[in-house]
């Protein structure tokens, strides 16, 4: 039986396990794994009450539960993103107190609850999401359950660590510069940054980061990722709203294969080989694979890095000023981003946005010839803790370090294209070898379909069993 949220929901639906039992198992596992640092805040009674409500509705045979794919499944919310009622977000920062308990659910939160998920806590993030590691000064430092000396990635590292460690089967996550896909890649999970505009961002979150950010989840299986995508997508107009209007292309695909990421941030041979292996596996299905070089990607990647830096800086400066936060409580790197945002001129911001537009156009040109790109997700193994420190005031250095680690991560955010990562093997140390799939706008279901296909090769096995399902 797959060790995932779908299997857990099936066990609850069929009465082999109660939602309350699953929640208690998750809480017990969270306590056992406390040293992992994956969870920054618990709402135990809220989680237990949500599970009790599900159990009562199951006894009453509530027909609405037939449409809840994750009925009674315990889950966690990232400490950054649109609000979930009763789970006060502090964004990993001492500038914020957990005082927004009365905020109503965002649209995405409401849809996740309607899908049956029962939330009981918040997962660790770097301050304001400014890193691909999760080591906030406010604490705790989050460790990778596959190697506690390494990062689980960021900024959804706490979410990925909790799922990889078997505390929960699925967890809410957000992605503005690889923040879903990098942690998933570090921890042997699946994660997707959906097509721009596909994920709900209302009623108050709006255009928070100029359209580069999206929310979804990190998962243990492709079927979980596909189901949570469909569950929260509801209400979107256009082709993505109806699978019949945007069917998955199942005929021969034109696949671009990129295994190198340039001399400035080269990809380890083992990770390049995994990317090659994934593409050649798809080629056996009759798809055409064409090798690509870094030259066509170097410019868009550089422009994306600049745009990411400046969009984050201006957003932080605006948010901090609007909320009247005490900047002196922030970490040095965060303060530097804020200072950059405050000092930024309109022409500087326009230049960054113009670069983002040109990067998007370049990507569109690539997809004139291809249906899919298969490329590296990470250039190296998960970084050791301390590799992305906040004790300096150089935003450019931080962006460069993150680009070296995950060269193609921010490109999908800046251009709006959907991108998915999945593990496709293990290296000599037993760490996952992740692959990134990128499709043209609106073809999220193609990514999910191909992830399911590659997953069937069974090149990666979860090290930790899921709390509740196997207890």
């Amino acid at each position: 039986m797959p060790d995932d949220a779908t299997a857990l929901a099936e066990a609850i639906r069929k009465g082999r396990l109660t939602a309350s039992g699953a929640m208690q198992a998750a809480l017990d596992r969270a306590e056992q794994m406390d040293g992992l640092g994956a969870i920054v805040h618990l709402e135990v009674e809220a989680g237990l009450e949500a599970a009790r409500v599900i159990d009562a509705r199951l006894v009453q045979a509530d027909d609405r539960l037939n449409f809840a794919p994750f009925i009674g499944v315990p889950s966690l919310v990232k400490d950054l993103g649109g609000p979930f009622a009763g789970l006060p977000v502090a964004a990993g920062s001492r500038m914020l107190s957990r005082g927004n308990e009365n905020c109503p659910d965002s649209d995405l939160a409401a849809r996740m609850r309607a899908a049956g998920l029962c939330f009981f806590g918040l997962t660790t993030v770097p301050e304001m999401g400014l890193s691909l590691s999760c080591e906030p000064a406010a604490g705790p430092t989050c460790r990778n359950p596959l190697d506690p000396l390494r990062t689980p990635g960021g900024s959804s590292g706490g979410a990925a660590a909790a799922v990889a460690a078997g505390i929960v089967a699925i967890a809410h996550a957000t992605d503005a510069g690889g923040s879903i896909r990098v942690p998933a890649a570090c921890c042997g999970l699946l994660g997707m940054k959906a097509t721009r505009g596909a994920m709900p961002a209302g009623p108050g979150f709006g255009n928070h980061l100029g359209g580069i950010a999206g929310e979804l989840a990190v998962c243990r299986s492709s079927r979980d990722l596909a189901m949570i995508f469909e569950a929260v997508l509801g209400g979107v107009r256009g082709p993505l709203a109806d699978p019949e209007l945007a069917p998955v292309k199942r005929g021969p695909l034109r696949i671009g294969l990129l295994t190198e990421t340039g001399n400035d941030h080269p990809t380890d041979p083992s990770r390049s080989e995994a990317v090659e292996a994934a593409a050649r596996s798809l080629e056996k299905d009759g798809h055409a694979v064409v090798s690509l070089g870094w030259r066509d990607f170097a410019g868009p990647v550089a422009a994306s890095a600049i745009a990411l830096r400046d969009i984050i800086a201006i957003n932080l400066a605006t948010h901090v000023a609007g909320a009247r936060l005490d900047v002196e409580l922030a970490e040095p790197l965060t303060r530097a981003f804020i200072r950059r945002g405050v000092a930024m001129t309109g022409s500087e911001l326009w230049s960054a946005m113009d670069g983002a537009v040109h990067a998007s156009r370049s990507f569109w040109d690539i997809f004139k010839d291809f249906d899919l790109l298969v490329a590296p997700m990470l250039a190296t193994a998960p970084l050791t803790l301390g590799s992305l420190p906040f004790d300096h005031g150089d935003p450019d250095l931080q962006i460069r370090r993150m680009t070296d680690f995950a060269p193609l991560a921010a490109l999908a955010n800046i251009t709006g294209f959907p991108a998915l990562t999945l593990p496709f093997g293990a290296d000599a140390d037993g760490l996952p070898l992740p692959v990134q799939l990128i499709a043209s706008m609106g073809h999220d279901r193609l990514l999910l379909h191909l992830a399911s296909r590659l997953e069937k090769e069974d090149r990666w096995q979860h090290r930790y069993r899921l709390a509740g399902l196997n207890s």
Side-chain angles (χ1 to χ4, degrees):
M1 175 185 292
D3 207 21
D4 63 1
T6 300
L8 185 54
E10 181 182 12
I12 293 169
R13 196 184 303 276
K14 292 185 176 180
R16 297 195 300 269
L17 178 69
T18 64
S20 297
M23 179 61 69
Q24 189 60 58
L27 290 167
D28 292 345
R29 184 60 167 269
E31 183 177 4
Q32 295 165 8
M33 304 291 287
D34 182 61
L36 189 64
I39 301 174
V40 69
H41 180 76
L42 282 172
E43 291 286 349
V44 174
E45 187 51 43
L48 290 170
E49 177 58 23
R52 287 192 288 265
V53 168
I54 293 293
D55 285 333
R57 292 176 65 189
L58 285 167
V59 169
Q60 297 164 3
D62 186 338
D63 289 341
R64 289 172 295 177
L65 297 186
N66 295 330
F67 303 98
F70 300 117
I71 187 66
V73 172
S75 191
L76 294 161
V77 171
K78 182 177 177 178
D79 190 23
L80 185 67
F84 285 67
L87 290 164
V89 166
S93 178
R94 292 173 293 197
M95 289 190 291
L96 295 169
S97 62
R98 298 195 183 278
N100 58 347
E101 293 92 340
N102 296 323
C103 287
D105 274 344
S106 66
D107 292 345
L108 179 132
R111 293 176 192 186
M112 285 189 164
R113 292 190 204 270
L117 294 173
C118 299
F119 296 102
F120 66 93
L122 293 160
T123 55
T124 305
V125 300
E127 185 169 56
M128 297 297 173
L130 292 177
S131 181
L132 295 181
S133 188
C134 290
E135 306 167 56
T141 291
C142 186
R143 301 177 180 275
N144 192 320
L146 307 179
D147 181 346
L149 298 180
R150 296 180 184 271
T151 182
S155 60
S156 305
V163 174
I167 297 171
V168 294
I170 184 172
H172 164 254
T174 71
D175 194 317
S179 292
I180 287 176
R181 290 161 290 139
V182 170
C186 288
C187 295
L189 305 175
L190 290 92
M192 183 170 75
K193 197 288 294 181
T195 291
R196 179 172 295 157
M199 294 294 100
F205 206 49
N207 195 25
H208 176 59
L209 276 168
I212 69 172
E215 299 184 77
L216 196 53
V218 287
C219 308
R220 296 167 73 93
S221 72
S222 61
R223 65 179 185 175
D224 281 359
L225 186 56
M227 279 195 279
I228 192 63
F229 172 77
E230 298 293 350
V232 301
L233 183 68
V236 176
R237 295 182 180 273
L240 269 176
D242 185 350
E244 297 301 319
L245 296 178
V248 173
K249 181 177 180 180
R250 299 186 186 273
L253 299 173
R254 302 164 299 165
I255 298 175
L257 168 61
L258 179 70
T259 59
E260 59 166 323
T261 49
N263 294 328
D264 291 337
H265 20 246
T267 294
D268 288 347
S270 62
R271 281 154 183 79
S272 293
E273 289 165 8
V275 171
E276 174 98 23
R280 298 307 171 191
S281 177
L282 294 175
E283 188 176 39
K284 292 177 183 177
D285 295 342
H287 305 305
V289 174
V290 176
S291 294
L292 302 174
W294 180 245
R295 183 178 61 182
D296 292 333
F297 294 85
V301 165
S304 294
I306 294 170
L308 179 68
R309 177 198 66 192
D310 289 348
I311 289 171
I312 288 174
I314 197 73
N315 167 75
L316 268 178
T318 303
H319 176 72
V320 167
R324 298 182 179 180
L325 302 181
D326 184 354
V327 177
E328 293 307 309
L329 294 176
E331 298 180 56
L333 180 60
T334 305
R335 294 201 299 270
F337 269 98
I338 293 169
R339 286 196 300 271
R340 179 172 183 82
V342 169
M344 195 181 302
T345 65
S347 60
E348 287 174 324
L349 180 59
W350 174 257
S351 177
M353 299 303 292
D354 192 50
V357 170
H358 281 87
S360 299
R361 173 58 186 267
S362 297
F363 225 35
W364 275 108
D365 285 342
I366 289 171
F367 278 97
K368 289 178 182 177
D369 298 319
F370 298 102
D371 301 299
L372 178 77
L373 291 179
V374 182
M377 187 66 247
L378 303 179
T380 70
L383 300 175
T384 55
L385 293 171
S387 296
L388 294 169
F390 270 55
D391 61 354
H392 64 90
D394 190 346
D396 288 317
L397 176 61
Q398 178 73 353
I399 294 294
R400 185 164 65 251
R401 285 171 169 168
M402 293 195 296
T403 303
D404 288 346
F405 181 36
L408 291 160
L411 184 58
N413 299 93
I414 297 301
T415 62
F417 285 68
L420 180 152
T421 188
L422 76 157
F424 202 67
D427 66 15
D429 296 318
L431 297 170
L433 294 173
V435 171
Q436 182 169 208
L437 310 178
I438 307 174
S440 57
M441 296 287 277
H443 288 277
D444 305 59
R445 292 189 182 94
L446 174 62
L447 297 182
L448 294 164
H449 169 70
L450 294 175
S452 176
R453 156 64 184 81
L454 292 171
E455 184 183 49
K456 288 181 172 64
E457 296 204 10
D458 199 27
R459 293 186 178 226
W460 172 259
Q461 291 77 42
H462 294 293
R463 188 178 301 177
Y464 293 90
R465 304 308 301 274
L466 179 62
L469 188 60
N470 304 287
S471 58

